Amino acid sequence: MNKQFDLAHPIFKIISEAASELSFETYAVGGFVRDQLLGRNCKDIDFVCVGSGIELAQKATEKISDKPHVSYFKNFGTAQFRWNEFDFEFVGARKESYDRNSRKPVVEDGTLEDDQNRRDFTINAMAISLNKNSFGELVDPFNGVKDLEEKLIRTPLDPDITFSDDPLRMMRAIRFATQLDFKILPETFDAIKRNKERIKIISQERVTDELNKIILAKTPSIGFILLEECGLLEIIFPEFQKLKGVENYEGKGHKDNFYHTLQVLDNITKATNDLWLRWAAVLHDIAKPPTKKFVEGTGWTFHGHEVLGSKWVPKIFGRMKLPMGNEMKFVRKMVYLHLRPIALTKEEITDSALRRLLFEAGDDIENLLSLCEADITSKNREKVKRYLTRFEVVREKLKEVEEKDQVRNFQPPVTGELIMETFGIGPSREIGVIKEEIKEAILEGKIRNDYEEALKMMLELGEKLGLKKQSDVRSPKSEENTDNA
Ligand code: ATP
Ligand code: MG
């Protein structure tokens, strides 16, 4: 492993000088050191000094000509600033001791060694000296370099104490194992199993944050499998746990929906880095367990799982403290529609079915298609290939229909105002009826999506409903003109 650190960024010399003037021993620590050794990019750099982190940050910025704005967190004794697209954080070395009955540690000033002892994993507990006489040297008391080489997550001290003190570290262990594709040392993993219940004292926001990082990793299934194995999944995401397992009836089994969902999630990482589309993959089959039924002659069915699943989305998002606005609505819509494009590959594709799908998916159609493509999983490679080819046909046809009919962002060609004006009526039930019938006729392909045809149909429908046409109906063009007049 390359132990030459890239300390070319001017900040390191600046901090080294500031530290020497203040006579504070100072080091770069944690994630930055780990990522340097791994050759990963890292734009968050943490500095620890034996002294005041706030004073060190102040002194350092005095030496920068375009002096960055420094944020101070007096309660935590930390300071932070952004410069040249990097985030720098400064903290005084500390010693932490936990009392079992309280979640907040007692914090005192400490040495570098104390500070390294309180860190979560050996690979996160390394420091690079910025002191004049040892500039650039690695301080690695727990053999973090060896664990990096062996791709191992291990706590520096007794894992039971480490996890019990701060149970979020259990989520972090699994998150790092996922992001870095590392193994968790068996002793460390066993301690997670023993301490899993303690996760309940951690705020949902912090747990969800780690879960999101797992979902955003290159191969998220690694994390979910570990979460399941240690028993954390059942506590933090019981609906997902319930996807696991296969039931057999008369010699017929179904897919294990846990592994299927993880395959879909791993598949979609190739199409998108968007957290919400990845969440849609996580949740697309979430309601399969309660909708499962064995039907004679058909086999296992999960009728309505997309409808029930979409109803669960707000409930799950709420509990997970995920955003309840457009993000949640998008995921709910994806879950609701996720069977539709696939259904199209199984039957004769009609233009009206394509128009309906475009109408319902709107601008999310591309995302929906990505989800559906990721959802094609089977042990049989030929089968997957066949489906993907048929799916390509659906894609092409959707494009053709959209070019022709433009229903993707459907706006009714006749408005409620025009209906009211034409028949001299106020807001009423008839307006809804007319608009709905026109929309249906367009989607079914009975009329085209244009003003003239819709107007003709509107007049016919009005007559059927016993409405009387007023004498002077304006065309939309003249309406525009009067608006501007
Ligand atoms: P990333 O920034 O990619 O999430 P990181 O290792 O930098 O990874 P941070 O959360 O930024 O993680 O924390 C910086 C460092 O602080 C870690 O490397 C670790 O040494 C320490 N640390 C963070 N959280 C904890 C914790 N809960 N318990 C112990 N040490 C921690
Ligand atoms: Mg970091």
Side-chain angles (χ1 to χ4, degrees):
M1 191 157 289
N2 172 26
K3 277 193 243 164
Q4 283 301 304
F5 297 106
D6 176 14
L7 303 178
H9 193 290
I11 194 76
F12 296 107
K13 280 272 179 267
I14 289 172
I15 289 171
S16 180
E17 263 163 43
S20 145
E21 282 167 35
L22 292 166
S23 303
F24 291 167
E25 249 183 75
T26 300
Y27 304 83
V29 283
F32 168 73
V33 182
R34 178 198 68 221
D35 288 343
Q36 279 256 315
L37 290 165
L38 289 172
R40 285 171 104 219
N41 221 346
C42 178
K43 300 227 146 184
D44 293 330
I45 309 185
D46 296 321
F47 299 103
V48 62
C49 65
V50 184
S52 157
I54 289 179
E55 275 177 53
L56 179 60
Q58 246 158 1
K59 189 62 125 193
T61 50
E62 281 169 18
K63 297 179 182 296
I64 298 175
S65 52
D66 52 333
K67 194 171 182 300
H69 170 78
V70 187
S71 314
Y72 299 102
F73 306 91
K74 290 239 162 69
N75 293 346
F76 299 98
T78 65
Q80 186 256 332
F81 65 79
R82 208 181 152 73
W83 184 48
N84 287 352
E85 287 165 45
F86 280 75
D87 279 312
F88 303 109
E89 190 164 329
F90 299 79
V91 60
R94 51 184 135 160
K95 186 176 177 164
E96 283 176 0
S97 43
Y98 286 78
D99 176 344
R100 262 208 74 96
N101 299 317
S102 144
R103 277 197 283 147
K104 294 243 153 62
V106 180
V107 181
E108 319 160 58
D109 291 343
T111 61
L112 173 69
E113 194 187 338
D114 292 327
D115 201 89
Q116 285 174 302
N117 283 337
R118 72 171 180 88
R119 291 183 182 264
D120 49 2
F121 307 112
T122 57
I123 59 166
N124 285 346
M126 294 179 277
I128 301 172
S129 166
L130 301 179
N131 304 311
K132 286 246 157 96
N133 53 2
S134 55
F135 190 86
E137 275 175 28
L138 182 70
V139 187
D140 180 16
F142 307 108
N143 239 331
V145 168
K146 187 152 176 282
D147 284 344
L148 274 184
E149 278 166 353
E150 290 174 8
K151 298 177 158 240
L152 273 180
I153 307 285
R154 173 206 315 257
T155 58
L157 307 176
D158 179 342
D160 279 298
I161 297 172
T162 301
F163 293 134
S164 174
D165 279 354
D166 178 0
L168 184 71
R169 293 168 181 162
M170 301 189 283
M171 291 296 298
R172 284 174 60 89
I174 292 174
R175 187 257 287 189
F176 285 119
T178 312
Q179 285 179 325
L180 304 174
D181 194 11
F182 276 29
K183 294 270 172 292
I184 300 174
L185 188 82
E187 283 99 287
T188 303
F189 197 61
D190 287 343
I192 297 181
K193 289 183 189 162
R194 286 191 292 271
N195 288 279
K196 63 179 184 191
E197 291 295 330
R198 290 202 38 92
I199 198 68
K200 292 177 182 161
I201 68 168
I202 299 294
S203 77
Q204 183 62 50
E205 286 83 350
R206 297 180 77 201
V207 172
T208 296
D209 226 36
E210 295 298 327
L211 190 60
N212 282 343
K213 286 182 182 175
I214 291 170
I215 292 171
L216 284 172
K218 192 164 151 252
T219 314
S221 60
I222 298 173
F224 279 89
I225 288 169
L226 289 170
L227 285 171
E228 200 281 325
E229 256 176 53
C230 69
L232 278 171
L233 190 66
E234 189 158 23
I235 301 171
I236 66 166
F237 199 171
E239 297 90 343
F240 202 90
Q241 175 73 47
K242 290 202 180 75
L243 291 172
K244 192 160 183 254
V246 178
E247 213 176 311
N248 277 289
Y249 184 77
E250 292 179 347
K252 277 194 183 171
H254 55 78
K255 268 190 204 175
D256 185 319
N257 291 305
F258 177 79
Y259 294 105
H260 163 69
T261 298
L262 292 183
Q263 183 65 57
V264 178
L265 179 57
D266 284 351
N267 285 349
I268 209 152
T269 61
K270 289 172 198 110
T272 184
N273 288 323
D274 181 68
L275 178 61
W276 310 113
L277 187 50
R278 290 186 179 201
W279 261 107
V282 169
L283 294 175
H284 79 287
D285 277 347
I286 199 70
K288 271 195 171 175
T291 54
K292 182 165 79 176
K293 231 190 218 140
F294 189 87
V295 179
E296 292 296 339
T298 308
W300 291 102
T301 64
F302 304 90
H303 277 307
H305 74 274
E306 75 287 13
V307 180
L308 187 61
S310 71
K311 284 193 187 141
W312 283 6
V313 171
K315 190 184 81 176
I316 292 171
F317 263 55
R319 196 186 68 228
M320 294 268 189
K321 299 270 193 287
L322 287 162
M324 296 299 283
N326 290 336
E327 296 88 348
M328 183 281 285
K329 289 185 191 130
F330 167 76
V331 174
R332 186 174 62 187
K333 180 171 166 185
M334 289 296 107
V335 174
Y336 185 73
L337 292 175
H338 83 271
L339 296 175
R340 297 279 296 278
I342 291 293
L344 287 179
T345 65
K346 292 186 178 153
E347 54 202 46
E348 194 56 41
I349 312 175
T350 63
D351 279 7
S352 67
L354 293 166
R355 271 191 299 267
R356 279 188 186 279
L357 180 60
L358 280 168
F359 172 71
E360 284 182 62
D363 277 342
D364 296 320
I365 186 74
E366 277 306 321
N367 284 324
L368 180 64
L369 294 176
S370 298
L371 176 61
C372 291
E373 233 160 354
D375 197 11
I376 300 171
T377 70
S378 162
K379 289 207 181 73
N380 183 340
R381 282 177 156 226
E382 281 306 308
K383 208 165 149 188
V384 172
K385 238 171 130 184
R386 215 164 46 234
Y387 264 113
L388 285 173
T389 315
R390 267 191 266 163
F391 198 72
E392 240 351 270
V393 177
V394 173
R395 253 183 206 280
E396 280 305 309
K397 297 225 163 179
L398 278 167
K399 223 197 230 152
E400 282 168 29
V401 167
E402 174 58 17
E403 271 164 23
K404 193 160 59 118
D405 301 335
Q406 275 137 33
V407 289
R408 177 163 157 169
N409 281 308
F410 183 80
Q411 293 294 334
V414 297
T415 62
E417 286 87 69
L418 183 67
I419 300 169
M420 290 196 277
E421 204 181 318
T422 306
F423 299 111
I425 55 174
S428 55
R429 194 185 65 88
E430 283 82 357
I431 297 165
V433 173
I434 292 174
K435 284 176 77 175
E436 183 61 24
E437 290 226 11
I438 290 174
K439 185 193 93 190
E440 280 297 312
I442 291 169
L443 292 178
E444 280 304 314
K446 289 183 188 140
I447 67 169
R448 285 189 310 138
N449 184 12
D450 81 12
Y451 177 74
E452 290 306 327
E453 292 199 20
L455 184 70
K456 188 161 156 267
M457 184 169 177
M458 179 192 86
L459 294 170
E460 286 164 14
L461 285 168
E463 198 174 326
K464 254 198 246 162
L465 288 166
L467 300 174
K468 282 240 151 28
K469 182 177 175 286
Q470 307 295 93
S471 49
D472 59 333
V473 181
R474 292 174 296 170
S475 77
K477 280 227 170 66
S478 63
E479 223 164 76
E480 255 173 40
N481 291 341
T482 44
D483 276 355
N484 292 338

